[in-house]
Amino acid sequence: SQKIEQNSEALNIQEGKTATLTCNYTNYSPAYLQWYRQDPGRGPVFLLLIRENEKEKRKERLKVTFDTTLKQSLFHITASQPADSATYLCALDEAAGNKLTFGGGTRVLVKP
Amino acid sequence: SAVISQKPSRDICQRGTSLTIQCQVDSQVTMMFWYRQQPGQSLTLIATANQGSEATYESGFVIDKFPISRPNLTFSTLTVSNMSPEDSSIYLCSVRSSGTSDTQYFGPGTRLTVL
């Protein structure tokens, strides 16, 4: 069966450190993978998209890697800040214009 | 980008009643999606609503329970019919921006509690 797995345990991290989140998938052939941030009581907010032929993408303090052999994406928040505290969701799309399927999300708590 | 608003933002309803949720987008979009997010869970796609055609429902969701309208390129409604406490959830409208092709934007959600 198809699965998208993110670490369900909250990630507690000290301010200034790098937070690393994983997204593993099985029985998917994604055209691309997206990462979203969700704050309590709000809808998800798009952060980054990485395509199947891209290894790495950066945006400010965020970095995403995509390994289609390992079927894994890593999401890094460098120089983390308390404002980065939120739930981070990965989502797969198997073909451009198709539906997104979401992982369960990982909650990140950055302590000052 | 696309700015999405939803109405109502939250509601408390009685079992057996129906609620219609509205989704308004500030630009014309082809693809609109409705998701459900149950407490502590991730997002589950209910259906895809394209203007000018019937909505396409995902496994486990049926039109009689979740009828959808898509009268134009900026508006959609989702009705939760004959509600039960199991329908208590956050319902999210989402659009895919044709300008940036693959980016998907979400509304703030409608928090529904069924007693």
Side-chain angles (χ1 to χ4, degrees):
Chain A
S1 63
Q2 294 180 317
K3 285 184 184 178
I4 304 172
E5 294 180 305
Q6 296 183 253
N7 194 341
S8 59
E9 288 186 20
L11 178 64
N12 293 297
I13 192 163
Q14 202 66 36
E15 181 176 8
K17 301 293 185 182
T18 296
T20 298
L21 286 65
T22 60
C23 176
N24 296 296
Y25 60 92
T26 54
N27 295 320
Y28 279 101
S29 297
Y32 54 82
L33 186 147
Q34 301 189 28
W35 283 89
Y36 287 79
R37 169 185 173 139
Q38 187 173 25
D39 292 283
R42 295 177 178 263
V45 174
F46 171 78
L47 294 175
L48 279 168
L49 178 154
I50 187 165
R51 301 184 190 280
E52 60 177 333
N53 59 350
E54 297 175 317
K55 296 292 185 187
E56 182 178 299
K57 207 78 168 283
R58 291 176 185 260
K59 178 183 175 183
E60 298 172 353
R61 293 184 296 109
L62 307 179
K63 185 178 86 170
V64 172
T65 63
F66 194 11
D67 189 327
T68 55
T69 301
L70 292 178
K71 298 187 184 299
Q72 180 182 78
S73 175
L74 299 179
F75 177 81
H76 306 272
I77 308 171
T78 59
S80 59
Q81 304 168 1
D84 295 326
S85 298
T87 296
Y88 292 86
L89 303 161
C90 72
L92 300 182
D93 192 322
E94 291 193 88
N98 209 334
K99 61 184 181 183
L100 281 182
T101 305
F102 283 82
T106 298
R107 184 163 172 260
V108 174
L109 180 60
V110 182
K111 297 180 179 179
Chain B
S1 67
V3 178
I4 304 170
S5 59
Q6 287 184 230
K7 289 182 182 179
S9 59
R10 58 177 62 223
D11 207 342
I12 300 173
C13 300
Q14 295 297 320
R15 181 195 297 262
T17 63
S18 298
L19 176 71
T20 295
I21 302 167
Q22 298 179 7
C23 175
Q24 181 75 52
V25 189
D26 69 342
S27 57
Q28 293 185 337
V29 293
T30 302
M31 300 184 75
M32 295 182 78
F33 307 89
W34 286 98
Y35 286 82
R36 181 173 74 182
Q37 187 172 30
Q38 294 179 306
Q41 303 296 314
S42 189
L43 287 78
T44 301
L45 181 63
I46 297 172
T48 301
N50 293 334
Q51 195 268 338
S53 62
E54 293 289 324
T56 303
Y57 289 82
E58 297 300 306
S59 176
F61 298 97
V62 295
I63 187 171
D64 289 346
K65 175 68 176 176
F66 297 101
I68 289 171
S69 78
R70 182 78 202 274
N72 56 54
L73 291 173
T74 63
F75 187 79
S76 177
T77 66
L78 169 77
T79 299
V80 186
S81 303
N82 188 25
M83 288 184 284
S84 66
E86 292 71 34
D87 295 320
S88 297
S89 187
I90 298 172
Y91 292 86
L92 293 144
C93 172
S94 178
V95 303
R96 189 159 296 209
S97 174
S98 54
T100 51
S101 69
D102 301 324
T103 303
Q104 200 155 321
Y105 300 94
F106 286 83
T110 296
R111 182 180 293 272
L112 172 62
T113 302
V114 184
L115 303 177

